[in-house]
Amino acid sequence: MINIEKLSKNYKKNEALKDISLTVKKGELFAYLGPNGAGKTTTIRILTGLTHKTGGTAYLNGFDISKETLKAKRQYGVVPQSTNLDHELSVYENLYIHGLLYHMQGAKIKERIDMLLSYVALKDRKKSPVKELSGGMKRRVLIARALLHEPVILFLDEPTVGLDATIRRRIWGLIKKIQQDGTTVFLTTHYIEEAEFLADRVAFIDKGTIVAVGTPHHLMEKQGAWAIDLIENGQVETQYFNTREDADQYNVNRHKSYTLRRVNLEDVFLTLTGKKVTE
Amino acid sequence: MKGFIAVYVRELLILRRRITRLIPSWSVSPLLYLLAFGYAVGRHMDVGGHTYMEFLIPGLAAMSSMTQAFAISSEINVSRFYWHIFEEFQAAPISNISYVLGEVFAGMTRALLSIAVILLIGYIFGVTLSYNFWFWLALLLNSFVFAALAVGLAMLVKSHADQSLLNSFIITPMAFLGGTFFPIERLPEWAQYALYFLPLTHATKAIRKAAYGDLPLMVSYLVLCGIGVVFFFIAVFCVNKAKD
């Protein structure tokens, strides 16, 4: 569904993306995980026609983003990191304009708006000006807008950034539902738990390079199952173990402060890059 | 090309929301110009057999068609830098021509509405002129020129601050030198030649002549058409440049 080959982007002397290659399968929920400035948003911006690439190729549902730009653009919907709704207009008007941009007929647009506002539980806010909505509601409007023209791919750029835990969980549920309805989802995030909860597969990106790709289970399995964080002189040192028993054994006769926990994707990223995703 | 409808409809919806605020703002400057220059300064002035008020109203219409069409650049920049709505257009399957066309139509619509306000004020002041085909054609072409220029420049500026520079260096000098307030024939010959390079000079002359019931010079329409088409395609090119 998404095929990227040696995609690169240079900003003057800064290499934002260094020949990255990726494949996302149809119906997959793919998480693109990395710290701020790693190249996640640059990748999405190139794929969605907001930024020129320096080199490489990318195909969306078989359409080359450079040579068949308009056809490629019909394949996806985008939920950007920062809200780009018209705050002066109502929810309905924002969605209606989106429908016109995708050459939809008036009756079809109205039908889809009603359906999608129910889908994102915002039917009662149809006539509300966007400026009166909360952050979580705006994010749901963005998701409804991105799905209006029935795309086969949904790009979500940090969809829950800045939202509280409850709203974040609600958005996660919505994203899962979208995937179950058959849409391929490409999600960027720097929230470990978001990737672990949602993704079928994860790619780690750091300094414009993909450092690992795999299922969360597969990536974490290599690291071990249990981790002990030892706190000594204000420094945290982490040890990994395949079984709980091994971890318990390690702690025998140690009187240091420690935390026993399950291994997560943050550990994998830390081992691969020497830094945390959230740094 | 269908995408231009979406861009245009969006601008119309915003215009509808703001119209009650815009009409008073469109009225203030012409009212002040008419009171200050029309009554106070030019009450007993004769300009080529017409009262100064009759001279001023077509000039103000030409100037307003320029400033209000050009004002679309501020709207674009607010939606580009502040609301990031431009990204929604960039991600959509619409051509650059469609985008420019939608914004240019929006600029022209604003211009025509503001002109209607001026003509109404002129009517209240007792000025009756000939608002014929040539009068409206010149206004349409002038607003087309400046709306196209506005879209192109809006794609090139990097911040809101740059926008005010455009007004200071392009619009204000043209408003005062393009024949709005005085006949450019009163300037030295070299200055007249220089001012003929400004589209507003041609627009003002054509609009004024048409408003007096005379047939304007066709060369003015050709110049406006030519400049408008050039600015339009520069704007289309600049939309692509606006990407990172």
Side-chain angles (χ1 to χ4, degrees), chain B residues 15-67:
Chain B
L15 194 60
R16 190 180 69 179
R17 283 273 148 81
R18 296 187 193 161
I19 197 75
T20 50
R21 283 174 282 154
L22 283 172
I23 288 176
S25 80
W26 289 335
S27 312
V28 172
S29 295
L31 264 174
L32 290 173
Y33 287 133
L34 284 172
L35 286 171
F37 298 131
Y39 265 125
V41 180
R43 187 173 229 175
H44 304 293
M45 202 184 282
D46 177 271
V47 189
H50 296 275
T51 66
Y52 187 68
M53 286 288 252
E54 288 170 346
F55 177 84
L56 189 56
I57 291 284
L60 288 178
M63 186 176 81
S64 193
S65 69
M66 171 183 74
T67 54

Side-chain angles (χ1 to χ4, degrees), chain B residues 64-239:
Chain B
S64 193
S65 69
M66 171 183 74
T67 54
Q68 290 309 316
F70 194 79
I72 199 70
S73 62
S74 300
E75 296 297 327
I76 293 169
N77 279 323
V78 169
S79 66
R80 188 172 158 216
F81 296 121
Y82 195 63
W83 300 118
H84 306 288
I85 292 156
F86 182 59
E87 292 184 358
E88 160 82 340
F89 295 134
Q90 280 185 307
I94 61 165
S95 63
N96 292 348
I97 288 185
S98 298
Y99 174 74
V100 174
L101 202 60
E103 293 293 6
V104 166
F105 273 20
M108 291 171 73
T109 306
R110 287 172 66 106
L112 291 177
L113 287 171
S114 71
I115 291 159
V117 170
I118 290 171
L119 298 186
L120 185 67
I121 292 170
Y123 180 76
I124 293 165
F125 274 75
V127 178
T128 315
L129 294 162
S130 174
Y131 304 127
N132 52 44
F133 170 77
W134 296 110
F135 175 85
W136 288 107
L137 181 64
L139 283 170
L140 273 174
L141 287 173
N142 195 44
S143 54
F144 171 67
V145 166
F146 286 98
L149 176 67
V151 178
L153 292 175
M155 295 295 114
L156 296 179
V157 299
K158 302 290 180 200
S159 67
H160 293 304
D162 293 348
Q163 188 60 45
S164 62
L165 288 177
L166 296 179
N167 289 332
S168 303
F169 286 106
I170 297 175
I171 298 304
T172 309
M174 226 181 295
F176 281 91
L177 298 173
T180 306
F181 299 105
F182 58 88
I184 62 164
E185 289 75 17
R186 290 185 184 177
L187 291 172
E189 205 168 327
W190 64 266
Q192 288 182 42
Y193 282 122
L195 293 178
Y196 271 110
F197 284 99
L198 303 180
L200 187 66
T201 309
H202 290 276
T204 310
K205 283 185 94 68
I207 289 162
R208 195 166 275 139
K209 229 170 166 44
Y212 291 164
D214 301 327
L215 186 66
L217 290 173
M218 286 304 114
V219 70
S220 294
Y221 293 87
L222 287 174
V223 168
L224 290 172
C225 249
I227 295 174
V229 169
V230 170
F231 283 171
F232 183 87
F233 283 102
I234 289 174
V236 172
F237 174 75
C238 290
V239 172

Side-chain angles (χ1 to χ4, degrees), chain A residues 148-184:
Chain A
L148 191 79
H149 57 284
E150 301 177 85
V152 290
I153 302 167
L154 179 64
F155 288 107
L156 296 156
D157 192 7
E158 305 271 6
T160 61
V161 74
L163 301 179
D164 65 43
T166 315
I167 306 291
R168 185 176 297 165
R169 291 249 159 209
R170 183 184 279 189
I171 301 281
W172 287 358
L174 188 58
I175 293 169
K176 270 285 184 198
K177 194 161 76 167
I178 291 164
Q179 186 208 8
Q180 282 158 8
D181 289 342
T183 309
T184 304

Side-chain angles (χ1 to χ4, degrees), chain A residues 45 49 73 86 88 98, chain B residues 10 17-18 88 90 243:
Chain A
R45 286 181 67 87
K73 284 182 174 184
D86 250 312
E88 280 185 81
H98 182 88
Chain B
R10 174 188 167 264
R17 283 273 148 81
R18 296 187 193 161
E88 160 82 340
Q90 280 185 307
K243 285 186 189 179

